[in-house]
Amino acid sequence: MHQSNDDQLKARAYAIWEREGCPSGKDREHWELAVKEMAGQPAPVPDRGPWRTPQEDGPQEIRKPGI
């Protein structure tokens, strides 16, 4: 059984909402992102500012104090 486009969009928007930690007040943003993703457009890359996560910096050597 195939889902309608609207049902697929609802499911996709819900998955985006869950992926972002279930924030309130961003339903329109999640819906628009789901529409773009289903249309084959790349998802926008969020601006993270000058800060980087350890994953973005790559593996780092771990040093223990006194060694």
Side-chain angles (χ1 to χ4, degrees):
M1 182 181 202
H2 294 287
Q3 287 182 319
S4 71
N5 279 348
D6 200 43
D7 288 341
Q8 290 176 345
L9 281 170
K10 286 178 188 177
R12 187 71 201 118
Y14 186 82
I16 293 167
W17 174 71
E18 286 184 314
R19 180 180 71 208
E20 292 188 1
C22 308
S24 61
K26 297 181 84 178
D27 49 333
R28 166 116 18 230
E29 186 177 319
H30 295 148
W31 184 267
E32 290 172 358
L33 182 55
V35 168
K36 287 181 180 180
E37 287 181 4
M38 289 186 63
Q41 298 175 13
V45 177
D47 180 19
R48 298 175 193 251
W51 308 107
R52 297 175 56 91
T53 66
Q55 292 81 12
E56 291 171 326
D57 285 336
Q60 306 238 341
E61 182 180 334
I62 299 174
R63 294 179 183 224
K64 294 183 180 180
I67 297 180

